[in-house]
Amino acid sequence: MSKIAYVVTQSELGGAQRNILLLAKALSGRHDITVYAAPGGLLLDELRRAGIKVVEIPSMQRDISLKDDLETYRFLVEEFTENGYEIIHSHSSKAGLLARMAGKKAGAAVNVYTAHGFVFNEPMSKMKKRLYISLER
């Protein structure tokens, strides 16, 4: 039985979240699954109803915030290290970046990122777009 952490930025029921819900339900009997996300969305209610462990990250948000992003990163490093996840599977740009860095620092054997869309394709300033593209690389 592998220990798997799924990480997503927002917890509403969008495409990335539905993907996590389906994966977590399908694998929960054979693996130890935990889902990390921002608080308050329907995804968390659905996961709890299915008996899947949820950890809410109050500092996780979609927008860039150096303070909150650093807090989220530190939280994830501590959680990943303490819980010894073998697989970290992140979804969405923000969660993907923070969870991949935290998983590497925590020594996770497998660190997977699934892109569901690219935030840099949305309307924004050129400077912000360049930042997002460099972070995604």
Side-chain angles (χ1 to χ4, degrees), residues 9 57-77 93-95 97-99 101-102 131-132 135:
T9 307
I57 310 171
S59 58
M60 179 71 91
Q61 59 176 305
R62 189 168 190 238
D63 293 330
I64 292 175
S65 163
L66 189 56
K67 177 188 171 289
D68 289 333
D69 295 344
L70 187 56
E71 188 176 326
T72 299
Y73 168 75
R74 287 181 179 150
F75 177 81
L76 289 174
V77 169
S93 297
K94 170 72 75 82
L97 176 65
L98 296 174
M101 292 186 334
L131 173 64
Y132 277 121
L135 290 172

Side-chain angles (χ1 to χ4, degrees), residues 31-121:
H31 299 281
D32 182 357
I33 307 290
T34 304
V35 177
Y36 290 84
L42 292 175
L43 170 66
L44 307 181
D45 297 335
E46 292 292 324
L47 290 164
R48 287 183 179 116
R49 270 195 283 282
I52 296 164
K53 183 179 175 188
V54 169
V55 177
E56 296 182 21
I57 310 171
S59 58
M60 179 71 91
Q61 59 176 305
R62 189 168 190 238
D63 293 330
I64 292 175
S65 163
L66 189 56
K67 177 188 171 289
D68 289 333
D69 295 344
L70 187 56
E71 188 176 326
T72 299
Y73 168 75
R74 287 181 179 150
F75 177 81
L76 289 174
V77 169
E78 186 176 313
E79 283 285 313
F80 295 169
T81 303
E82 202 172 281
N83 290 294
Y85 295 107
E86 291 131 317
I87 301 169
I88 309 293
H89 188 174
S90 55
H91 299 255
S92 72
S93 297
K94 170 72 75 82
L97 176 65
L98 296 174
R100 283 180 286 174
M101 292 186 334
K104 184 174 182 174
K105 175 105 172 146
V110 178
N111 202 335
V112 179
Y113 169 57
T114 300
H116 293 272
F118 295 106
V119 70
F120 51 79
N121 287 328

